[in-house]
Each structure stands twice: as C-alpha cells, then as structure tokens.
Amino acid sequence: QVQLVESGGGLVQAGGSLRLSCAASGRTFSRYAMGWFRQAPGKEREFVAAISWTGGNTYYADSVKGRFTISRDNAKNTVYLQMNSLKPEDTAVYYCAARQTLRPPTSAREYDYWGQGTQVTVSS
C-alpha cells in the first residue's frame, strides 16, 4: 500500500515556475514507477511525465517537453515536477500516481495509487 500526498500548487503568472512535490509513504517507494497527470475542468485526465523507479528513465508529454522536469529522491520518498515557462493551458489539478513496475506507464488506468491532487492556475 502506498499513500501519496501532493503539494506545491498555486497561482502563478504565465512564464513563471512552480515545483510540485509528491510525498509517498511505504518502505518500498524505490520500487515504484511514478507519474504525474493533470486534469483541467471538462477534460479527461492526461499524462504529463513519468519516471522509472531508479530515476534513470523519464518520459514526457509533448506539450510539456523542454519546460517540465520530473525527478525523484528515493531517500526522501518524494517525486518532484519542476514546471518552468508555464502557460495558461497548463492550468489543471495535478496528480501523482504510483505503480510497482520497472517501466512507468503513460496511461492513467495502469497506475494503482493516486494522490488527492494539487491545483495549478496560470494567469495570462
């Protein structure tokens, strides 16, 4: 069982930055692939980024590539999402997710554990 708690969301102007954190409980965090997803009002949840349990492999949606960076600190049981050059279309609730697998999925339905989400609002 893994419990996930996101933090770091907020209101930022276009072009600004935010860093999201996802703190995980459980002793085997280092064996979980982690993902970040987001959901805007009236839209389906979409993939943002994912990282393997070693941190050696990362994956990004085309819409955030070059602007967002996913990373993890297994000693702190935490995964991060550094978001730079934010755009109004990045506004959404951001969720972190976990799955005990080698290669992190990019489909939300493949993840087993989810956090409660944190709101990110980017003003123009």
Side-chain angles (χ1 to χ4, degrees), residues 7-119:
S7 61
L11 174 64
V12 64
Q13 288 189 331
S17 298
L18 282 175
R19 189 176 81 154
L20 306 183
S21 299
C22 174
S25 65
R27 296 177 295 172
T28 59
F29 173 75
S30 61
R31 291 292 183 261
Y32 282 81
M34 301 295 296
W36 284 98
F37 290 78
R38 65 187 182 188
Q39 189 166 17
K43 295 188 176 181
E44 292 191 354
R45 193 167 297 190
E46 65 173 358
F47 169 74
V48 175
I51 189 167
S52 62
W53 53 270
T54 64
N57 294 290
T58 57
Y59 307 87
Y60 297 93
D62 288 343
S63 58
V64 306
K65 204 171 292 184
R67 300 188 298 122
F68 291 10
T69 302
I70 188 171
S71 62
R72 67 190 295 162
D73 185 339
N74 287 343
K76 296 183 178 180
N77 280 13
T78 302
V79 63
Y80 305 97
L81 186 68
Q82 178 66 44
M83 305 186 296
N84 299 329
S85 302
L86 282 161
K87 305 174 182 179
E89 51 263 44
D90 294 319
T91 295
V93 177
Y94 282 71
Y95 299 88
C96 69
R99 179 181 172 89
Q100 192 168 14
T101 186
L102 183 63
R103 179 182 172 90
T106 59
S107 172
R109 66 189 61 182
E110 295 188 61
Y111 282 86
D112 299 313
Y113 302 102
W114 291 85
Q116 83 291 344
T118 186
Q119 176 70 47

